[in-house]
Amino acid sequence: MAPRLTQQVVDLFGLEGLDEDSTAYVDDRYRILRTLGEGAFGTVLLCADEGKQGRLVAVKGLVSPSPTCQRSLMHEFVNARRLRHPQLVSVLDTGVCPRRGIYVVLEYVDGPDLVTVLDEEDRIDVDVAAEICRQIARGLSHMHRQDLVHRDVKPDNVYLEGATAKLGDFGASRARKQQGRATVIFTPGYAPPEAQRGTVGVEADAYALGALFHLAVTGRLPPTPGPRSRSPRVSPLLRRYGGARAEQLARRLLHPKPTQRLSDMQRIQQRFAALVRSNSRRKLRELVERVNLKRQRAHLEKRWAEFEQRFGEAMRPFGLDWVCVECRGPVSEGMLFCPWCGDLLRFRSDASFPRYCQRCEHGLHEAWAVCPWCGERYGATPAPGTRRARDRRYEDHCQACSGPLMRYMSFCPWCGEGYTWHTPGMEETCPGCGFSVAGELFGYCPFCGEVLNEAFAQQASERIHSLKAGRRSRRSGAATRGAWGQRRRHARFGADPRLSRSR
C-alpha cells in the first residue's frame, strides 16, 4: 500500500496528481517507502532502488535557492561520489529535482545517529566514545587523502549501525585547495576559531572531532575559546568521566591555534585506539541495539495513538484487550499475527481452549471440528445439539450450518465454511485474505500475515525478532503460553458490539 506523502515531498519531487493507491517514484527508479525526516531545506526518504533488486537507499532532496547554489551543491556531491570507505556513507547517485532542487541517493544506514543516542543516554562511556571517534577518524583520513575537507563533523552526521560508525552528509565538503576562500559552514560549538576568518582545512575537522568526543563523554560541548585564547579549554567533567589521557587528547584536538592542533588523522586514530578496550565494540553494539528498541517502541506507540484517534469507534468490535508480548501492541484473540510487529500469536492459555491446532498453533475449543483460523479439519461435523453457544465471544452464526461464530473466524469451526470480515470505517482490503484492515498503520495483516506496509514491516520486526529466541528461552512456560501471555488491565476500546460480516 502506498505511503502517505507530505506536501513538501510532493512539491519537491513533482508528484502532484498521484492517486492514493499509486506507487510514488523518484526519477522513475527509486520507489518511495516512507519519510525519514524533514527540515526547512529538504527532506529524506527511504526508498527501494528498483535498479538494484530493491536495495534500500536514502534519497535526500535539497531545496536550492538559486541556480548557482544548485550547481555548487551538485559539484560537491559529485566529488563525494568517489569516496568509498567503510566509515563513510556512500553517495550512490545525484540528480536534479523538477522543482528547483537536487536529490542525492545515499547508502541507507539502519541505525540511529549519535544525536539520538546521546538524547537517550545523556553521555556514553569513554571507551565507547573513543571507538566511535576512532572509526570517524579513519573515514576523515580517507577524505583528506582524497584532498577533501568535510567541514561539518557533528553528532547529527555520525550514524551507528551495529558496532560500526559512519560519517555522512557531504554537502559542506570542499576541496583542500579551496580552503582559503571557503564559506563558513561549521555548526556552532564544532567550529574552530579560524572558521570565523573563513579559513578551514584538515585542522578544522580535527577540532570538530575533538568537540564531538568531548560531548559524547561529558554530555556537554567544550567551552568556546575566546578570540585571544592561547590554550585549549575543556570541562572538568572530562577528567572525571574519561581520565587524564582522554583530557590530554581532547586538549590536543581543541587547541585554538591550528598550527599547534593535532590534525594528522593517522595519529589521532592511534590516540583514540589507546582508549579503546577489548569489549568496547560489544558495548557499542549493545548501546545501538538498546537505542533502536527504544526508537521502535516510540514509533509503535505513535502508531497506536493514531490508530485510536482514527479508528477508535470502528474498532470496538476488535476487543483489543490483549497485548503482544514481543512489541506490547494491542491485539485481539481473533488475530493470528500481530499487526504491528508480525509476530505469530498463539492463544493457548485460556481454559476454554485446552488444545491447539497443529498447523497454525492457535487455540482450539474441544468441540470444534475445524480450526477456525487456518481451516485444518480435526473431525466430522458435530450434531447441532453439541454446538456450544453460551460463550459470550460467540457473536454471529454460520449461514451454512447455523453454528455460532466468534469475531474474525476465517472458517466456521463446525462445518468449515469460509468467511471474510469487514470492519466499519476501514475501506482497505488485505490482498491475502480479503479482510478489511488499516493498511496505512498496520505493518502486517493480523489474519493472514500478509505484508501491508513494506516500510513499517521493514522497520518494525527485525530487531524485535532477533531477541525473541533468547527471551523465550528464559521465560517460564513460554512453550505453552506463546505470545498471548498477558491480558491488558483495561480494554482500550471498551465493549464489543456485534461485528458486521460479509460472505
Side-chain angles (χ1 to χ4, degrees):
M1 299 189 181
R4 289 183 295 171
L5 303 178
T6 62
Q7 191 61 41
Q8 184 182 37
V9 175
V10 173
D11 294 341
L12 184 60
F13 293 100
L15 302 175
E16 293 87 350
L18 195 68
D19 296 336
E20 292 184 359
D21 296 331
S22 300
T23 302
Y25 286 85
V26 174
D27 202 13
D28 296 327
R29 174 176 174 177
Y30 304 104
R31 177 163 50 89
I32 299 177
L33 300 179
R34 63 182 172 90
T35 302
L36 294 175
E38 281 190 336
F41 299 101
T43 184
V44 183
L45 303 173
L46 176 64
C47 298
D49 185 357
E50 300 294 350
K52 295 291 184 180
Q53 293 79 43
R55 177 181 63 176
L56 292 180
V57 295
V59 177
K60 187 174 185 179
L62 299 172
V63 179
S64 53
S66 66
T68 303
C69 180
Q70 179 172 309
R71 288 193 297 269
S72 177
L73 286 172
M74 183 66 73
H75 176 72
E76 302 305 334
F77 282 115
V78 168
N79 286 337
R81 287 186 65 177
R82 54 193 171 96
L83 297 174
R84 290 292 183 268
H85 193 272
Q87 266 60 59
L88 298 176
V89 178
S90 300
V91 177
L92 306 175
D93 192 11
T94 56
V96 179
C97 296
R99 302 293 174 83
R100 203 180 66 178
I102 67 170
Y103 71 85
V104 185
V105 182
L106 304 167
E107 169 193 2
Y108 175 60
V109 181
D110 186 16
D113 55 31
L114 188 56
V115 169
T116 303
V117 172
L118 293 176
D119 286 343
E120 295 288 347
E121 302 291 327
D122 189 30
R123 63 178 186 83
I124 56 181
D125 293 342
V126 62
D127 59 318
V128 178
E131 173 61 23
I132 294 173
C133 292
R134 182 189 68 83
Q135 295 187 41
I136 299 304
R138 285 189 61 200
L140 288 172
S141 177
H142 180 74
M143 286 192 67
H144 295 171
R145 288 196 299 270
Q146 300 295 323
D147 290 329
L148 289 176
V149 182
H150 190 278
R151 300 203 308 161
D152 200 16
V153 178
K154 58 183 179 180
D156 309 66
N157 297 332
V158 175
Y159 303 94
L160 304 175
E161 184 176 26
T164 302
K166 290 176 177 282
L167 181 63
D169 196 348
F170 304 101
S173 62
R174 203 172 182 90
R176 294 175 64 179
K177 62 183 179 181
Q178 296 176 309
Q179 60 177 318
R181 49 187 175 91
T183 303
V184 176
I185 300 293
F186 276 90
T187 302
Y190 304 91
E194 66 268 19
Q196 299 178 3
R197 302 187 294 271
T199 305
V200 290
V202 295
E203 298 84 5
D205 283 346
Y207 184 94
L209 185 62
L212 186 147
F213 177 65
H214 189 287
L215 175 69
V217 176
T218 66
R220 302 177 182 179
L221 283 169
T224 304
R228 298 183 180 181
S229 297
R230 296 184 178 181
S231 60
R233 300 173 60 191
V234 298
S235 170
L237 295 176
L238 187 60
R239 177 181 284 268
R240 175 181 175 184
Y241 294 130
R245 289 193 300 174
E247 182 187 32
Q248 182 182 10
L249 176 56
R251 288 183 178 276
R252 292 291 308 276
L253 294 173
L254 295 172
H255 203 286
K257 294 185 176 182
T259 56
Q260 299 185 25
R261 190 179 305 150
L262 178 61
S263 58
D264 184 355
M265 287 297 163
Q266 294 287 350
R267 295 177 59 191
I268 292 175
Q269 288 182 62
Q270 297 174 2
R271 295 294 186 92
F272 279 122
L275 300 175
V276 174
R277 299 178 181 176
S278 59
N279 63 341
S280 296
R281 289 183 62 84
R282 177 181 60 81
K283 291 169 63 177
L284 175 58
R285 185 180 296 106
E286 293 175 350
L287 171 65
V288 172
E289 186 66 35
R290 186 165 63 249
V291 173
N292 277 336
L293 289 175
K294 290 181 180 179
R295 293 170 67 210
Q296 175 62 27
R297 172 70 178 178
H299 178 70
L300 285 173
E301 288 179 346
K302 181 180 179 181
R303 284 162 58 195
W304 299 342
E306 185 177 356
F307 182 70
E308 277 190 348
Q309 182 180 3
R310 297 179 59 188
F311 299 104
E313 292 297 325
M315 293 303 294
R316 288 185 185 277
F318 256 108
L320 301 183
D321 52 355
W322 296 79
V323 291
C324 171
V325 166
E326 299 304 330
C327 71
R328 308 295 299 170
V331 292
S332 168
E333 62 190 54
M335 296 178 178
L336 282 179
F337 299 87
C338 173
W340 316 106
C341 71
D343 189 35
L344 178 64
L345 304 175
R346 307 175 184 88
F347 182 64
R348 304 187 222 159
S349 61
D350 196 286
S352 61
F353 294 95
R355 61 194 182 104
Y356 63 94
C357 176
Q358 297 180 4
R359 181 179 176 184
C360 68
E361 300 185 347
H362 213 62
L364 297 178
H365 194 284
E366 58 184 4
W368 290 348
V370 179
C371 174
W373 322 113
C374 69
E376 186 78 4
R377 183 170 288 276
Y378 288 95
T381 301
T386 62
R387 300 171 188 168
R388 302 181 180 180
R390 292 176 295 178
D391 195 311
R392 67 175 180 84
R393 289 171 292 187
Y394 290 112
E395 300 175 343
D396 213 326
H397 291 81
C398 175
Q399 296 182 3
C401 69
S402 300
L405 297 179
M406 295 182 184
R407 56 181 173 265
Y408 291 118
M409 284 183 169
S410 299
F411 300 88
C412 173
W414 317 104
C415 68
E417 181 77 4
Y419 285 88
T420 59
W421 296 77
H422 173 70
T423 303
M426 291 189 180
E427 303 300 330
E428 299 182 55
T429 301
C430 172
C433 64
F435 285 37
S436 59
V437 292
E440 67 273 27
L441 294 175
F442 288 171
Y444 303 83
C445 174
F447 311 109
C448 68
E450 181 84 8
V451 175
L452 300 177
N453 191 307
E454 185 177 349
F456 286 165
Q458 174 72 22
Q459 183 189 33
S461 301
E462 292 182 356
R463 289 181 284 270
I464 294 176
H465 288 177
S466 66
L467 301 178
K468 188 190 304 179
R471 289 212 301 262
R472 284 186 175 175
S473 64
R474 296 189 296 269
R475 200 164 57 219
S476 61
T480 58
R481 186 172 63 220
W484 291 88
Q486 299 184 27
R487 177 181 284 274
R488 309 185 71 197
R489 292 186 178 181
H490 304 286
R492 186 175 290 250
F493 297 106
D496 300 331
R498 181 181 294 273
L499 181 69
S500 64
R501 158 175 66 79
S502 63
R503 291 293 300 274

